[in-house]
């Protein structure tokens, strides 16, 4: 894709990665992007950089619009490598450019890329940078999702560049959110994986955006919102405060199908109550998609076979992710097969209790495969879970 304008003074100059599928754990079935923006007044500023393998694309795009040597500023909203990897190459091509960022971001960039201190201009909340006919204003917004992050606002165009915040991992042409069907689906999983752990900071970020009331929201991943971004702002508010819908997620590990049969019975019962049900075998599904659904679920049922006297590793490895999205208060059920030892489902119950779920006391455990009476009991528990 070539460059394109996003507002009067700003153009997209980033990189699309159509083949991206795994973004440090986030499943990206529709690819992804590393967005960077060139803002031109009488001086030129680049907002954010791209992941290292895409430095060539960024430089090629810049050259369509400006001689890189004429870039005066490189604004770094965030230090993470996907937005700073190309910085060393940029600083060579834009040999006179100053890196504009928060003090924390400067320290991180120096540690990541050995950028000399003399090349930085540190800014604080509310500072401005005059490009001559285009003014950038900076807002410190820590923990969306790293502590050094800031938003950059292009005052004359009412265009906001919030880096990761309000983004999604999607590659698309055209690249405006109103032209990308289903973008909120990908934005939800992205939010869940990157932002949900800091939901309070996310709400502060949304409040800051609402104060600014931008016309254009141009994040560093995924499509650009050119209609004020009400859809994504409202979604962030819901996902951060009260994400629960009438949805039940049943997720499980299974060795030979016994726990899977139990999971299906629970799912069937939940479905009979009228709830939407999602059923996942954890070893077969991207963890970020399961988490995104759990974020919106009012109830979660997890099942495990007893594995070496305990919980199957697919479940054990899932807990850190589950903890990350703060599932406290959701209704929960655990179940599983005993094999010759038993106890896995009860250990699972204790783990989930530690995460603050509101669990049913009943912990059904079938020896190998649930019989008819056990299956009916599991269906009943599924109904109970969904009705609560
Ligand atoms: Fe897109 Fe936190 O980096």
């Amino acid at each position: 894709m070539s460059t394109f304008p996003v507002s009067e003074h700003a153009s997209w100059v980033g990189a699309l990665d159509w083949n991206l599928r795994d973004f440090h754990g986030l499943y990206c079935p529709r690819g992804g992007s590393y967005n960077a923006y060139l803002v031109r007044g009488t001086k030129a500023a680049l907002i954010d950089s791209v992941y290292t393998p895409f430095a060539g694309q960024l430089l090629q795009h810049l050259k369509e619009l400006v001689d890189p040597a004429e870039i005066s500023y490189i604004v770094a909203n965030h230090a993470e490598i996907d937005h700073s990897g190309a910085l060393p190459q940029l600083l060579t091509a834009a040999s006179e450019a100053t890196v504009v960022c928060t003090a924390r971001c400067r320290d991180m960039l120096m540690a990541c890329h050995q950028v000399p201190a003399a090349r930085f201009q540190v800014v604080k909340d509310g500072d401005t940078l005059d490009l001559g006919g285009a003014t950038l204003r900076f807002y410190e917004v820590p923990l969306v999702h790293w502590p050094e992050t800031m938003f950059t606002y292009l005052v004359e165009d009412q265009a906001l560049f919030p880096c990761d915040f309000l983004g999604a991992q999607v590659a698309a042409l055209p690249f405006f959110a109103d032209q990308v069907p289903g973008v909120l689906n990908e934005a939800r999983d992205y939010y869940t994986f990157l932002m949900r752990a800091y939901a309070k900071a996310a709400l502060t970020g949304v409040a800051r955006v609402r104060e600014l009331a931008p016309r254009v929201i141009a994040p560093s991943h995924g499509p650009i919102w050119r209609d004020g971004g009400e859809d994504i702002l409202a979604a962030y508010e819901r996902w951060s405060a009260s994400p629960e819908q009438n949805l039940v997620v049943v997720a499980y590990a299974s060795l030979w199908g016994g726990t899977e049969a139990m999971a299906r019975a629970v799912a069937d019962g939940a479905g009979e109550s009228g709830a939407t049900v999602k059923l996942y075998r954890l070893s077969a599904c991207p963890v970020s998609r399961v988490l995104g659904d759990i974020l919106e679920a009012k109830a979660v049922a997890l099942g495990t076979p007893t594995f070496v006297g305990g919980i199957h590793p697919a479940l054990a490895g899932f807990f850190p992710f589950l903890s990350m999205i703060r599932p406290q208060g959701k209704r929960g059920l655990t179940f599983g097969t005993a094999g010759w030892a038993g106890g896995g489902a009860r250990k699972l119950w204790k783990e989930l209790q530690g995460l603050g779920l509101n669990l049913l006391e009943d912990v059904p455990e079938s020896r190998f495969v649930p019989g008819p009476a056990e299956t009916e009991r599991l269906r009943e528990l599924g109904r109970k879970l969904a009705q609560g």
Side-chain angles (χ1 to χ4, degrees):
M1 178 164 68
S2 188
T3 65
F4 62 93
V6 300
S7 66
E8 187 183 346
H9 296 91
S11 297
W12 181 90
V13 292
L16 294 185
D17 182 357
W18 293 92
N19 295 317
L20 181 70
R21 291 295 178 270
D22 178 0
F23 179 64
H24 58 37
L26 174 71
Y27 175 54
C28 307
R30 299 166 71 183
S33 76
Y34 306 98
N35 299 337
Y37 301 92
L38 182 71
V39 180
R40 284 176 295 179
T42 54
K43 292 181 178 177
L46 176 68
I47 299 179
D48 289 323
S49 164
V50 297
Y51 184 34
T52 323
F54 299 93
Q57 269 193 54
L58 173 61
L59 285 166
Q60 184 186 332
H61 284 151
L62 281 172
K63 285 172 188 169
E64 288 178 18
L65 301 175
V66 68
D67 177 351
E70 293 175 7
I71 294 173
S72 300
Y73 303 101
I74 299 169
V75 175
N77 280 325
H78 175 32
E80 199 165 7
I81 300 295
D82 52 331
H83 309 292
S84 71
L87 190 57
Q89 286 187 59
L90 272 172
L91 288 172
T92 300
S95 55
E96 300 300 314
T98 299
V99 180
V100 178
C101 62
T102 63
R104 273 180 169 154
C105 189
R106 174 199 57 193
D107 295 346
M108 290 180 179
L109 291 174
M110 288 174 73
C112 285
H113 304 296
Q114 289 72 52
V115 180
R119 295 216 55 178
F120 286 95
Q121 177 179 333
V122 167
V123 291
K124 298 189 299 298
D125 193 70
D127 284 355
T128 57
L129 184 65
D130 184 2
L131 301 178
T135 311
L136 299 181
R137 182 170 291 140
F138 306 106
Y139 296 98
E140 294 187 69
V141 193
L143 290 175
V144 295
H145 60 131
W146 277 26
E148 87 298 3
T149 46
M150 70 177 189
F151 296 167
T152 296
Y153 188 58
L154 172 51
V155 177
E156 288 79 1
D157 294 10
Q158 295 176 272
L160 180 69
F161 304 90
C163 201
D164 283 337
F165 198 60
L166 308 177
Q169 272 301 26
V170 177
L173 282 174
F175 207 46
F176 288 101
D178 55 281
Q179 297 169 304
V180 182
V183 64
L184 282 178
N185 296 336
E186 305 310 327
R188 184 203 66 173
D189 289 0
Y190 172 96
Y191 167 90
T192 304
F193 215 73
L194 275 77
M195 303 287 168
R196 169 66 185 183
Y198 309 104
K200 211 168 152 186
L203 286 171
T204 303
V206 170
R208 179 54 69 92
V209 177
R210 289 202 180 281
E211 282 166 26
L212 291 170
R215 193 170 51 81
V216 174
I217 296 175
S220 60
H221 298 292
I224 294 148
W225 301 83
R226 58 183 173 180
D227 58 359
E230 179 54 34
D231 286 355
I232 188 74
L233 291 169
Y236 262 53
E237 285 168 336
R238 181 168 72 77
W239 295 329
S240 299
S242 303
E244 283 80 14
Q245 311 286 300
N246 189 19
L247 168 67
V248 176
V249 172
V250 183
Y252 65 94
S254 191
L255 297 170
W256 294 107
T259 308
E260 179 170 279
M262 297 180 78
R264 288 183 185 280
V266 171
D268 286 347
E272 286 162 12
S273 77
T276 301
V277 177
K278 300 280 183 79
L279 181 66
Y280 289 111
R281 183 176 185 136
L282 285 173
S283 59
C285 301
V287 67
S288 60
R289 180 54 49 90
V290 181
L291 281 179
D293 277 332
I294 289 179
L295 176 72
E296 294 195 310
K298 67 178 183 182
V300 185
L302 294 183
T304 182
T306 300
F307 186 89
V308 197
I311 300 165
H312 190 279
L315 268 303
F318 188 63
F319 292 139
F321 293 110
L322 191 56
S323 168
M324 181 177 83
I325 69 163
R326 301 173 182 271
Q328 291 88 341
K330 292 181 190 289
R331 289 170 62 77
L333 167 71
T334 66
F335 59 90
T337 46
W340 66 85
R346 177 54 66 181
K347 285 181 178 167
L348 187 54
W349 190 94
K350 286 182 181 153
E351 290 285 350
L352 291 190
Q353 189 186 43
L355 292 181
L357 274 84
N358 177 18
L359 294 165
L360 300 186
E361 289 295 332
D362 213 343
V363 181
E365 191 170 64
S366 298
R367 187 165 180 212
F368 288 107
V369 176
E374 287 174 309
T375 298
E376 182 44 46
R377 180 178 166 221
L378 288 160
R379 290 173 80 109
E380 177 54 35
L381 285 170
R383 286 191 287 272
K384 192 173 170 186
L385 184 70
Q387 285 164 356

